[in-house]
Amino acid sequence: SCYSLFPLLYEAQEYPIKVLLLLLHSLLMWLGFSALYGQIEPAEEAVIAKKVDGPYEARISQGSARKREFKMGSVSRIYFFGLVIVEVYGQFLHPYLLSNKLPFVPLMMISTYCAVGIMYSWIWQLRQIVGSVS
């Protein structure tokens, strides 16, 4: 979704700033997802019952459990590689191939590609939520 805002900053001197902001945002999101959604290794999973004001609450033992690193799936990797291709085409190839003809095509590509990615992300999250509930 952050990449979909790139066309709003269209001047050449703004390009390094928006790329650095996107990289910084991606790094922070990666660290956040790694901390929150790292999976517990099943072989070392230990559940301890702890009383918390009434019902017992299941907790994972800190001593015996170890978190694995958060990993992206193959679809996510392909999507991010596609973002690089869309950006390279919009910034470098389109001006040389079509010069001033069809200036809206890179903007349309970015919007459409990001819409597909956001929809995939929502569907993935919905499947994760439904899978954890049932």
Side-chain angles (χ1 to χ4, degrees):
S1 65
C2 289
Y3 178 71
S4 67
L5 300 174
F6 269 33
L8 297 176
L9 302 171
Y10 55 88
E11 294 187 19
Q13 68 261 23
E14 297 169 334
Y15 188 75
I17 294 170
K18 65 184 180 181
V19 169
L20 287 175
L21 285 174
L22 180 67
L23 292 175
L24 178 64
H25 178 263
S26 299
L27 176 67
L28 291 175
M29 291 301 292
W30 181 268
L31 293 174
F33 281 147
S34 295
L36 287 175
Y37 299 112
Q39 298 175 352
I40 304 295
E41 291 186 12
E44 299 182 21
E45 198 170 302
V47 177
I48 298 173
K50 181 179 179 186
K51 188 170 182 172
V52 180
D53 295 332
Y56 284 91
E57 180 179 302
R59 294 202 180 253
I60 305 237
S61 169
Q62 297 294 336
S64 62
R66 188 176 68 187
K67 280 192 169 186
R68 288 191 291 195
E69 188 176 327
F70 174 74
K71 295 181 182 178
M72 288 183 0
S74 59
V75 174
S76 299
R77 281 191 222 126
I78 291 168
Y79 178 76
F80 283 119
F81 182 68
L83 279 178
V84 172
I85 292 171
V86 168
E87 181 63 20
V88 167
Y89 175 78
Q91 285 295 318
F92 306 111
L93 296 178
H94 185 77
Y96 293 114
L97 296 176
L98 298 174
S99 65
N100 290 335
K101 297 177 187 174
L102 304 173
F104 61 87
V105 169
L107 305 176
M108 185 179 65
M109 286 176 57
I110 290 172
S111 295
T112 305
Y113 197 78
C114 289
V116 168
I118 290 170
M119 289 303 297
Y120 170 76
S121 173
W122 282 40
I123 291 168
W124 179 84
Q125 290 176 10
L126 183 61
R127 288 182 66 200
Q128 295 295 319
I129 291 168
V130 170
S132 69
V133 172
S134 55

